[in-house]
Amino acid sequence: MNNKKRTSIEDKLFTVTRKIDTESHIKVDQEKFKKDPNPAILYICPSKVYVKNEETGECVVNFENCLECGSCQVANRDYVVWDNPRGGTGVIYKYG
Ligand code: SF4
């Protein structure tokens, strides 16, 4: 049995801060998103960037929460276009 103490996502997120850009570095093709019966991006993102608006069916993109981990690009290259945040913005690690 594994007795290692697990670190919560909140504790992990405490180690980073972000300089938020005025423009999103993530684009979602909403029509393709709506046709996906089980969008993996809603579950795979550790920072809950993607949230489905149950009224409109569209994907809300909370890009300011992005940790730049790349998981959404592995999960979906069809309708998520992810680019690096512009220079000087994005994740900043508090402890190097
Ligand atoms: Fe979420 Fe990682 Fe994609 Fe950023 S790069 S949106 S943190 S899955």
Side-chain angles (χ1 to χ4, degrees), residues 33-81:
F33 174 81
K34 288 179 186 178
K35 290 177 184 165
D36 188 344
N38 192 23
I41 57 172
L42 298 178
Y43 313 105
I44 201 165
C45 177
S47 203
K48 306 269 187 261
V49 167
Y50 306 100
V51 178
K52 184 176 183 178
N53 180 322
E54 295 299 337
E55 287 184 21
T56 66
E58 293 192 343
C59 183
V60 178
V61 181
N62 299 308
F63 72 94
E64 64 276 8
N65 294 340
C66 180
L67 292 170
E68 302 171 33
C69 72
S71 298
C72 57
Q73 285 296 280
V74 175
N76 189 305
R77 292 179 182 269
D78 185 32
Y79 55 79
V80 175
V81 177

